[in-house]
Each structure stands twice: as C-alpha cells, then as structure tokens.
C-alpha cells in the first residue's frame, strides 16, 4: 500500500504517480488532498479523496491504523 497526503500544487505529481501505480496494478494506493478555500484546484482534482483540515487527516490516519490493527488479529 502507498498513501500520500498533500495540500499543494507540488503534491499533484505524487497524486498522479499513485494513481498510475494503482492503474498499472503495481500497488494499491490512495492519495488524500487537504483542501480548503485557498487550495489550488488540482489538489482536489487529482486526489483519491479529500479532507478539509489537519484534524481530519489525523482522523483518517487513526481510521487506517484501526483497520490495520483489526486485520492483524
């Protein structure tokens, strides 16, 4: 699994790369864009999903960890 979290135009290339890896079947990937009123439009356009704050990123990561912990039991 590859997870990439970003909030700016410079992160869009990584979002695209994660998508390409997923489409090629090379690995599972998910890109999370942190988007607010000032975010460049490409962040939301190329992210697999979006959140609107750092606290939502923390909640997403806690959810991922809970799923990983549950799958290892």
């Amino acid at each position: 699994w590859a997870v990439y979290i970003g909030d700016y135009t410079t992160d869009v290339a990584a979002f695209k790369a994660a998508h390409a890896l997923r489409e090629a079947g090379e690995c599972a990937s998910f890109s999370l864009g942190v988007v607010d009123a000032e975010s460049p439009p490409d962040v939301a356009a190329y992210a697999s999903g979006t959140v609107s704050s750092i606290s939502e990123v923390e909640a997403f990561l806690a959810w991922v960890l809970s799923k990983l912990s549950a799958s290892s039991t």
Side-chain angles (χ1 to χ4, degrees), residues 51-60:
V51 296
S52 60
S53 67
I54 296 302
S55 62
E56 289 181 7
V57 171
E58 292 169 345
F60 169 76

Side-chain angles (χ1 to χ4, degrees), residues 5-66:
I5 300 170
D7 67 347
Y8 199 67
T9 303
T10 54
D11 298 307
V12 171
F15 291 171
K16 290 178 179 179
H19 178 79
L21 288 170
R22 183 173 61 249
E23 289 295 312
E26 294 184 32
C27 79
S29 67
F30 186 82
S31 55
L32 186 67
V34 184
V35 177
D36 63 21
E38 297 176 15
S39 298
D42 281 352
V43 173
Y46 290 101
S48 304
T50 61
V51 296
S52 60
S53 67
I54 296 302
S55 62
E56 289 181 7
V57 171
E58 292 169 345
F60 169 76
L61 292 173
W63 176 81
V64 169
L65 288 174
S66 73

